[in-house]
Amino acid sequence: MSSENSSADDSSADGVQDDGQRVWDVVVVGAGPAGASAAYAAAVAGRRVLLLEKAELPRYKTCGGGIIGPSRDSLPPGFELPFRDRVHAVTFSNNGRFTRTRRSKQMLFGLINRPEFDHQLVEHAQKAGAELRTGVTVQRVEQHGSSVPDRRTVAVVLQGGETLLARAVVGADGSASRIGAHVGVKLDQVDLGLEAEIPVPETVAEDWKGRVLIDWGPMPGSYGWVFPKGDTLTVGVISARGEGAATKRYLEDFIGRLGLAGFEPSISSGHLTRCRAEDSPLSRGRVLVCGDAAGLLEPWTREGISFALRSGRLAGEWAVRIAEAHDAVDARRQALNYAFAVKAGLGVEMSVGKRLLTAFERRPGLFHAALTGFRPAWNAFREITQGSTSLGELVRGRPMAQRALAALDPRPAERGAGGEVTS
């Protein structure tokens, strides 16, 4: 690593143990949008940063690939989005019926392929000074015991036995996070997403150019989507976990309804999305979690990229402060500040999204009618996707939105980990 990436106030002894082993300021586990953002934020601050990824990059990720305004606004300076399409129209349908298309003169959001997007984010982190290691699996982290030389250090134990040392660790290792398990992340909602990447002829691709489809599905809380990306359509559905057979049937029926059953998917995949409980921890000692590893996503749409980018940036910034903390009390204070920053922004959006999901599970037809026939509802959708407002700001700042949410969800329900609604 170059000397420019070392902190000015660190002595050489602070970066190397007596036995010669290097001590990183920040080790980030997972090189998705959350991890790459955390690594970038810590590296820009001049810290010694190591970014670990178990796969080789670029790698595929089950994801629609929609980049909404909050995602765009959270990218590093100079980042050029590798858009495959720019969306100006949304076709809504309610389980294949009552189809209507709404259009916008300004772009609503862009569509990317995750392998390209994620790899580009990692490259920005590397340019900022972060070091990348791929093909490594983290088995566990230890904050006490023989592997840990002092109270300012965290041991990151890799598969095979190698141990890395860090002043702070950021867990961004996805929805089945081992770092999340160490922190004690608690989940309140688990959903199953199924997706197919379907190459289509030019004539079919042209019909979808600049337009996405959102279909409210047959199971409570479910929906499907078609996202065009040049000569390929990303077609997917999502529903509560525990409805695997029905979710698979929904995807098959959805593809058939669209007239796409005759085209062979290049990739078919599935993925569990996990949403945190409101009281779930975001840190333990000198270890923070962000993105999917923390269960941070919008509960209704299950949109996670913007949550990953925003929480990752915050995690990287606060990890720097934790790395600088000389005792457990100061480290704890910085970790609590990170949690407060996440909850004050993303937490508010998640709370509103949870209430929207509860209402949507009960009355999907009302949501469809509102978005297709009530201009204020469409305007709110447009402003959120474009990034001029957020779910939290919408409900805080607009009495009409407050009244509508209260009418839709007069007594907020709790949704269990299996997806069931309980009152």
Side-chain angles (χ1 to χ4, degrees):
M1 298 293 284
S2 65
S3 60
E4 289 87 345
N5 195 47
S6 296
S7 58
D9 59 349
D10 271 343
S11 66
S12 58
D14 198 34
V16 180
Q17 290 295 313
D18 292 339
D19 61 3
Q21 185 173 4
R22 185 176 201 173
V23 181
W24 298 89
D25 290 318
V26 180
V27 168
V28 180
V29 184
S37 295
Y40 175 85
V44 160
R47 302 294 100 177
R48 294 178 296 266
V49 180
L50 178 62
L51 177 58
L52 303 176
E53 169 58 43
K54 65 180 179 181
E56 298 297 335
L57 300 175
R59 50 94 177 95
Y60 182 77
K61 175 80 164 74
T62 304
C63 177
I67 300 296
I68 60 175
S71 299
R72 178 201 64 223
D73 295 341
S74 302
L75 294 168
F79 190 99
E80 293 187 13
L81 278 159
F83 282 147
R84 291 307 181 103
D85 204 344
R86 290 168 168 79
V87 177
H88 287 80
V90 181
T91 298
F92 294 100
S93 62
N94 190 0
N95 199 18
R97 301 173 298 162
F98 312 116
T99 301
R100 184 174 178 186
T101 300
R102 304 296 304 250
R103 301 184 185 276
S104 170
K105 291 180 181 179
Q106 293 181 310
M107 185 179 83
L108 294 166
F109 56 94
L111 300 174
I112 51 91
N113 282 332
R114 280 291 300 276
E116 288 177 273
F117 177 71
D118 290 13
H119 195 203
Q120 200 169 311
L121 281 170
V122 169
E123 288 176 337
H124 272 258
Q126 288 178 285
K127 288 174 186 173
E131 188 170 316
L132 172 69
R133 281 185 63 182
T134 59
V136 292
T137 299
V138 172
Q139 290 282 61
R140 64 186 183 277
V141 292
E142 296 178 2
Q143 301 194 64
H144 307 282
S146 59
S147 299
V148 184
D150 57 63
R151 293 183 179 181
R152 287 192 61 205
T153 308
V154 181
V156 180
V157 182
L158 307 182
Q159 194 172 57
E162 181 184 356
T163 298
L164 306 171
L165 300 179
R167 299 298 184 209
V169 171
V170 175
D173 48 334
S175 62
S177 169
R178 292 190 177 185
I179 312 301
H182 172 81
V183 167
V185 172
K186 294 186 289 184
L187 304 169
D188 194 40
Q189 172 187 330
V190 182
D191 295 288
L192 170 64
L194 300 177
E195 196 167 71
E197 303 285 353
I198 305 178
V200 293
E202 186 178 344
T203 51
V204 176
E206 188 63 30
D207 182 52
W208 285 97
K209 188 174 181 180
R211 178 176 65 93
V212 301
L213 169 64
I214 297 176
D215 177 73
W216 314 120
M219 295 90 72
S222 68
Y223 75 95
W225 63 88
V226 179
F227 284 2
K229 299 169 186 175
D231 59 0
T232 298
L233 300 179
T234 298
V235 183
V237 300
I238 195 162
S239 184
R241 184 181 66 173
E243 297 282 352
T247 305
K248 185 178 180 182
R249 188 162 56 249
Y250 175 31
L251 179 61
E252 292 170 352
D253 292 346
F254 188 43
I255 290 173
R257 270 202 320 258
L258 295 166
L260 301 173
F263 304 115
E264 186 68 25
S266 58
I267 299 174
S268 295
S269 63
H271 179 66
L272 290 176
T273 65
R274 296 175 168 92
C275 190
R276 69 188 293 271
E278 195 171 337
D279 62 344
S280 178
L282 291 164
S283 67
R284 178 180 173 186
R286 290 176 175 265
V287 179
L288 305 178
V289 285
C290 59
D292 284 345
L296 292 167
L297 73 158
E298 198 277 287
W300 176 36
T301 63
R302 291 80 156 186
E303 191 277 320
I305 295 178
S306 76
F307 282 73
L309 292 169
R310 291 181 284 173
S311 65
R313 176 176 52 80
L314 290 170
E317 292 170 354
W318 289 106
V320 167
R321 294 172 172 86
I322 289 173
E324 294 168 347
H326 286 278
D327 57 47
V329 173
D330 192 19
R332 176 63 176 161
R333 184 184 304 117
Q334 304 304 336
L336 287 172
N337 286 337
Y338 165 67
F340 178 80
V342 169
K343 292 174 183 177
L346 301 179
V348 173
E349 292 179 37
M350 291 181 71
S351 178
V352 176
K354 190 174 184 64
R355 293 185 67 187
L356 284 170
L357 175 63
T358 300
F360 173 67
E361 287 174 325
R362 292 168 176 161
R363 306 184 71 181
L366 186 59
F367 276 72
H368 181 70
L371 283 167
T372 57
F374 185 50
R375 182 168 293 277
W378 165 250
N379 287 342
F381 176 92
R382 179 173 51 78
E383 290 169 17
I384 288 169
T385 59
Q386 291 173 337
S388 60
T389 190
S390 69
L391 276 176
E393 291 167 352
L394 192 71
V395 172
R396 271 197 305 258
R398 302 188 187 183
M400 180 186 289
Q402 292 174 10
R403 290 195 297 270
L405 186 58
L408 285 167
D409 182 27
R411 51 185 190 98
E414 301 242 346
R415 197 167 185 261
E420 70 278 4
V421 178
T422 60
S423 8

